[in-house]
Amino acid sequence: MNIEILQPKAFDLVGSRILIAGNAVGFESHLTIRVSDGHDEVTAAATVGSLSIRQFQAAVDIPSNAAFTLSRLFVTVTDDSAGGPNPPTVTVPVLYGPKILPGYVGYWEHMVISGETLSALANRYYEDASKYPVIQAANQQFVADPNLIFPGQLLRIPRDF
């Protein structure tokens, strides 16, 4: 069985409902979907039919009592019907918005222009310059240093309303 996860993409910013979609090859395959940070895990399932490439989709609802301690989660899709000791598995890292910003519901996209800083963006979007770490955490895959953002970068600004 071959598995290709099309959604979410690596380092997508996700909320408490994670939509998962992709392609798989298999014969009436059962897929197990795990969302984990290494401390807690939430599971769901999807199915794939016949012998040709088939699409699959599922939604994983993260309960409010999930004990995730990290904002970086891993979405893992495994073909349980493949048998054997090493079933086909694909893992995609994602960023969990509710651990980055309490009450997370989505994000705005912001194209950086010359002279902007994360603290200025935090002041603009949150009316609080000290909330720049929220923006950095939502873009951690390419903003390692909060003092280094560049014109043309597309940043995700988490929102809670």
Side-chain angles (χ1 to χ4, degrees):
M1 155 113 340
N2 294 325
I3 303 170
E4 175 187 27
I5 299 175
L6 300 173
Q7 178 183 335
K9 297 283 188 197
F11 299 104
D12 272 356
L13 189 56
V14 301
S16 56
R17 173 168 258 220
I18 303 173
L19 302 176
I20 300 160
N23 296 313
V25 177
F27 179 74
E28 297 177 358
S29 296
H30 178 271
L31 305 175
T32 295
I33 301 166
R34 292 179 177 79
V35 179
S36 173
D37 71 344
H39 302 283
D40 197 6
E41 180 176 276
V42 176
T43 61
T47 57
V48 179
S50 88
L51 290 172
S52 61
I53 295 176
R54 297 289 185 204
Q55 297 176 338
F56 67 89
Q57 61 183 12
V60 179
D61 291 313
I62 307 298
S64 59
N65 65 348
F68 294 145
T69 60
L70 304 173
S71 64
R72 186 176 292 179
L73 304 179
F74 296 95
V75 175
T76 301
V77 177
T78 302
D79 176 14
D80 295 330
S81 57
N86 297 312
T89 301
V90 177
T91 300
V92 174
V94 296
L95 301 175
Y96 187 50
K99 281 307 241 181
I100 293 171
L101 180 68
Y104 172 83
V105 296
Y107 60 89
W108 295 289
E109 290 185 338
H110 179 88
M111 183 73 69
V112 176
I113 60 172
S114 183
E116 287 185 316
T117 64
L118 286 186
S119 57
L121 292 175
N123 194 52
R124 175 179 170 185
Y125 287 97
Y126 305 126
E127 298 179 349
D128 184 351
S130 70
K131 288 191 173 182
Y132 73 87
V134 170
I135 300 170
Q136 182 183 7
N139 298 280
Q140 60 188 263
Q141 73 278 18
F142 51 81
V143 180
D145 182 338
N147 297 311
L148 291 176
I149 61 172
F150 303 96
Q153 276 184 314
L154 184 63
L155 299 179
R156 298 172 298 194
I157 313 291
R159 60 186 179 88
D160 59 1
F161 59 89

